[in-house]
Amino acid sequence: METQGIAVLGSTGSIGKTTLDVVSNFPERFRVVALSANRNADTLLEQVERFSPELAVLADGEVPEAAGVAGTRIAQGADAILEIAAHPGVDIVVN
């Protein structure tokens, strides 16, 4: 069975965190491709370290310059969220 690429919009909220818990229990079925958060940069960066998505977006706020994990592009601003939905590796979007 091929893994499905998943994007979690609002990954730092309760639904997002629950989704990531489920995904972590089924690594053979899902891979995290993209994450987004509104303002919670600290939690978003913890999730980036844990799941190593290709893209992470902080919609409202600034990500510290030194932040990031190799292989993950970090973007800022609400417009960058559109990149998540259009990302070619995303099969499922959870919002």
Side-chain angles (χ1 to χ4, degrees):
M1 178 183 298
E2 187 175 324
T3 61
Q4 298 216 324
I6 191 164
V8 183
L9 305 180
S11 65
T12 62
S14 61
I15 292 172
K17 288 179 179 178
T18 300
T19 299
L20 292 174
D21 285 343
V22 170
V23 166
S24 66
N25 287 319
F26 296 96
E28 71 285 354
R29 296 197 60 194
F30 303 104
R31 61 186 163 70
V32 177
V33 174
L35 299 171
S36 78
N38 190 36
R39 291 189 194 113
N40 194 338
D42 292 337
T43 300
L44 178 65
L45 293 174
E46 289 170 7
Q47 292 171 342
V48 165
E49 288 180 16
R50 180 176 176 197
F51 292 99
S52 300
E54 294 176 30
L55 175 61
V57 174
L58 186 66
D60 183 17
E62 293 193 23
V63 178
E65 282 188 40
V69 172
T72 299
R73 185 169 72 81
I74 303 207
Q76 294 177 190
D79 291 341
I81 293 173
L82 296 175
E83 289 183 57
I84 291 176
H87 191 287
V90 172
D91 300 303
I92 300 167
V93 176
V94 177
N95 184 15

